[in-house]
Amino acid sequence: MSTTSPLRPRRSPLLTGLMILYLAYTLIPLLWLFLSATKTQGDLLSSPGLWFGHRFALFANIRDTLTYNDGIFLRWLGNTLLYVVVGAGGATLLATAAGYGLAKYKFKGRRAVFAVLLGAVAVPGTALAVPTFLMFSHLGLTNTVWAIIIPSLVSPFGLYLMWVYASDAIPHDLLEAARIDGAGEVRIFFTVALRLLAPGIVTVLLFAVVSTWNNYFLPLIMLSKPNLYPLTVGLTQWSNQATGVGARPIYNLVITGSLLTIVPLVVAFLLLQRFWQSGLTAGSVKQ
Amino acid sequence: MHRDTKGWIFVGPFLAVFALTFLAPIGYAIYLSLFREQAFFGGNVFVGLDNYADVIADSKFWESFLRVLSFLVVQVPVMLILALLAALAIDSARLHGASFFRIVIFLPYAVPGVVAVLMWGFIYGDNFGLAADLNNLLGSTAIKPLSGHWMLPSIANIVTWEFVGYNMLIFYSALRTVPEELYEAAAIDGASALRTVRAVKLPALRGAVVIATIFSIIGSFQLFNEPNILRTLAPNVITTYYTPNMYAYNLSFAGQQFNYSATVAIVMGVITAVIAYVVQLRGTREAL
């Protein structure tokens, strides 16, 4: 990291103070969520929001969340992982290959590809949801995992990022040298290009993981069987259950389940920050 | 650049899935919008642009449209200015622990939108939320984030909380690409910190601001998750046509009016695309 000014300005307590205020706004809801996950339902109602309750019930809550309704939460977690691994993994692979192809080959129709992609990105994703649902239901794909996985495979933002990244990260001479050595195009991609693209790939993968992990609208319309739900749809169903007529509210499970849903992504972002931050910076060079 | 049709090997698979999940649904939606279900006889009849005429004359549609419009003219500037200030502060080298601020402010982006809404929904609630605590503290009942006029600002707060960090990172990444020589030149000219921001940093951010604005506008017009989830907490405040997207959704999945729903979706898509295009044109022509 370099400083942006050659003069190395003095640290400002005022600026730091203002940023701490914003930090509080960012963190207080998450703190509330964590503290609430440590409370029993009774304590939720009777204790202050930003402090612990009488009993520290975090582990009891986690156990209840994981075992409620024959462990349906674990099933939802497994579904989410499946959608993330296949959907985000596939999206990253497709975007990487296509970005590389657009950046490093000049072929007929390349400009048309750009035009179509840019046009399509402006179309609101949810405008596509209803027709996609009807199409998939004709094809017999609704209420299957494919209804979630196939639409997740396309990431125009990922393609854009990989295209910009590949333009800079892979020298043409290196590809030419590999061609002179007699390597095929596909082999060059897997043996030469992929390694150079690694930071860009981590960035695209991470953002694809976030968008599939957080996917709500698509599974909401595509799936009606609870055993196919991802965590997002499952949690809202639990939450709705609390307000239904004659239903037993399970606030503590919704809150603890929410906390458990956040943790993996936060950990992934913290552990991988070196990679995705460098990937993003490179991606913005050509804005 | 290598002249070779072999480029299609790499672009082809992406385009195939893209055609299936983007182009085909768009085409199908256009097709649907030109037909109407016969109430008594069954089957679809071709009605030309009648569905579009109905949407244009539909007061529910315009009410929902104006609601997201009023939402976005306030929420998007507030969010982007907060993100811009945070990015400038983190980039200024005047901050203690700048990298810590950067990662923590970004964190809400990693929180699934659904969880963010559930969490804020509880916090807003008068059962065991912070709103209830605040009311107890003040001895009032004035703070009701989930009622009438409070609802839209409450939703705006959730969206802002979720996306300031993401936009901050876009701006921050753009700032990192400013060449060191520009800062040196500014320093030699004796430019103050604020002058450097105006003359060097803001121009460098223009492209990023245009992109962030377009994405935010598209996001606002698509508003769905937040009101749809909060609806269970406040069914009397949030109607089935609270936003255009909720309207399209409820037409389809509660009303089985697929043709009309597709028309609403297309009209919204066209409006969004036109506005995004205008913003892009203005953004690339005018200085900040």
Side-chain angles (χ1 to χ4, degrees):
Chain A
M1 285 248 316
S2 64
T3 53
T4 49
S5 164
L7 295 178
R8 289 185 178 274
R10 214 173 288 146
R11 310 259 186 236
S12 158
L14 177 69
L15 198 62
T16 308
L18 287 174
M19 289 297 280
I20 286 173
L21 277 183
Y22 192 80
L23 208 68
Y25 170 66
T26 304
L27 287 179
I28 283 174
L30 295 171
L31 180 67
W32 179 90
L33 186 72
F34 171 74
L35 289 171
S36 298
T38 67
K39 295 175 186 175
T40 59
Q41 294 228 67
D43 279 353
L44 269 180
L45 295 165
S46 62
S47 64
L50 288 176
W51 196 243
F52 292 98
H54 302 290
R55 262 184 57 210
F56 186 82
L58 177 62
F59 298 108
N61 279 336
I62 291 177
R63 197 190 56 232
D64 290 350
T65 305
L66 299 183
T67 54
Y68 182 78
N69 217 343
D70 297 328
I72 190 80
F73 187 88
L74 284 173
R75 172 91 207 204
W76 294 337
L77 176 65
N79 292 338
T80 297
L81 287 175
L82 173 74
Y83 302 145
V84 164
V85 170
V86 183
T92 306
L93 189 67
L94 289 177
T96 304
Y100 168 78
L102 286 172
K104 293 293 156 188
Y105 294 86
K106 202 167 191 166
F107 52 89
K108 250 194 171 141
R110 191 167 150 270
R111 283 178 167 279
V113 172
F114 284 139
V116 170
L117 281 175
L118 284 179
V121 172
V123 177
T126 32
L128 302 175
V130 169
T132 308
F133 166 77
L134 293 174
M135 255 177 55
F136 277 26
S137 101
H138 284 307
L139 297 170
L141 290 174
T142 46
N143 266 320
T144 69
V145 296
W146 299 109
I148 312 305
I149 289 173
I150 293 173
S152 309
L153 288 175
V154 175
S155 163
F157 173 69
L159 172 65
Y160 166 78
L161 213 63
M162 282 318 297
W163 162 51
V164 175
Y165 197 83
S167 305
D168 292 340
I170 304 177
H172 285 289
D173 301 349
L174 199 65
L175 299 179
E176 286 306 325
R179 284 186 189 111
I180 291 167
D181 285 348
E185 301 298 326
V186 175
R187 194 162 148 225
I188 292 174
F189 173 68
F190 281 106
T191 56
V192 179
L194 273 190
R195 203 171 322 147
L196 294 168
L197 292 174
I201 293 174
V202 173
T203 311
V204 171
L205 181 66
L206 212 51
F207 282 88
V209 165
V210 170
S211 73
T212 37
W213 187 279
N214 297 354
N215 207 346
Y216 168 70
F217 192 58
L218 192 70
L220 179 71
I221 62 174
M222 292 288 182
L223 307 173
S224 54
K225 288 186 196 153
N227 63 356
L228 288 176
Y229 285 170
L231 285 170
T232 49
V233 179
L235 279 175
T236 49
Q237 207 204 28
W238 273 3
S239 166
N240 293 351
Q241 188 179 325
T243 52
V245 181
R248 190 175 79 92
I250 42 171
Y251 294 121
N252 58 336
L253 301 193
V254 179
I255 287 169
T256 311
S258 296
L259 185 68
L260 294 177
T261 306
I262 295 178
V263 169
L265 281 189
V266 169
V267 169
F269 265 104
L270 291 179
L271 289 182
L272 294 172
Q273 56 171 312
R274 180 163 308 202
F275 293 99
W276 58 265
Q277 290 192 357
S278 73
L280 264 189
T281 310
S284 67
V285 169
K286 283 199 175 169
Q287 273 178 8
Chain B
M1 189 76 62
H2 189 63
R3 285 190 171 279
D4 199 332
T5 51
K6 280 177 187 146
W8 282 110
I9 301 171
F10 301 106
V11 185
F14 179 94
L15 283 183
V17 186
F18 180 78
L20 179 68
T21 55
F22 268 79
L23 302 184
I26 293 175
Y28 190 51
I30 294 172
Y31 166 83
L32 281 174
S33 72
L34 301 174
F35 287 82
R36 191 172 286 173
E37 193 121 342
Q38 288 285 71
F40 298 106
F41 310 107
N44 276 321
V45 284
F46 181 78
V47 293
L49 297 177
D50 284 6
N51 286 326
Y52 290 90
D54 286 356
V55 173
I56 303 295
D58 186 341
S59 62
K60 285 182 179 173
F61 172 75
W62 290 113
E63 189 190 317
S64 67
F65 176 78
L66 289 177
R67 190 174 286 116
V68 288
L69 194 67
S70 67
F71 173 90
L72 88 87
V73 294
V74 178
Q75 190 269 333
V76 171
V78 168
M79 172 180 70
L80 292 184
I81 287 170
L82 282 175
L84 194 66
L85 293 177
L88 287 170
I90 290 169
D91 186 62
S92 71
R94 286 167 186 272
L95 209 58
H96 295 275
S99 57
F100 172 74
F101 282 106
R102 191 178 68 220
I103 187 71
V104 173
I105 289 175
F106 178 72
L107 270 192
Y109 180 72
V111 175
V114 166
V115 173
V117 183
L118 288 174
M119 182 175 77
W120 277 102
F122 284 134
I123 290 176
Y124 287 156
D126 39 20
N127 262 344
F128 47 84
L130 291 180
D133 283 5
L134 216 55
N135 278 331
N136 283 340
L137 202 68
L138 302 171
S140 77
T141 52
I143 301 168
K144 293 178 193 149
L146 293 173
S147 63
H149 294 296
W150 286 73
M151 184 56 92
L152 208 56
S154 298
I155 292 174
N157 173 55
I158 301 178
V159 178
T160 305
W161 184 84
E162 287 178 284
F163 288 107
V164 163
Y166 176 72
N167 288 299
M168 177 273 290
L169 206 64
I170 292 180
F171 297 154
Y172 177 77
S173 304
L175 284 174
R176 301 308 297 172
T177 63
V178 175
E180 194 77 2
E181 298 87 67
L182 282 182
Y183 292 122
E184 278 160 18
I188 289 166
D189 288 349
S192 67
L194 282 181
R195 173 106 187 91
T196 310
V197 166
R198 277 225 333 258
V200 180
K201 296 195 177 188
L202 288 184
L205 280 170
R206 216 171 92 188
V209 168
V210 171
I211 288 189
T213 307
I214 291 174
F215 279 140
S216 304
I217 289 174
I218 293 176
S220 303
F221 275 135
Q222 294 192 43
L223 201 61
F224 177 82
N225 291 4
E226 290 81 4
N228 196 53
I229 294 169
L230 290 178
R231 197 171 128 72
T232 53
L233 298 174
N236 298 324
V237 179
I238 297 180
T239 54
T240 54
Y241 52 93
Y242 197 73
T243 71
N245 236 333
M246 281 185 71
Y247 191 34
Y249 170 80
N250 284 310
L251 281 171
S252 271
F253 295 96
Q256 304 291 314
Q257 291 178 273
F258 296 115
N259 301 79
Y260 194 59
S261 166
T263 317
V264 169
I266 291 172
V267 171
M268 261 333 274
V270 169
I271 293 175
T272 310
V274 167
I275 290 178
Y277 186 67
V278 169
V279 170
Q280 195 186 0
L281 279 186
R282 283 181 63 93
T284 44
R285 202 177 48 214
E286 285 170 25
L288 264 170

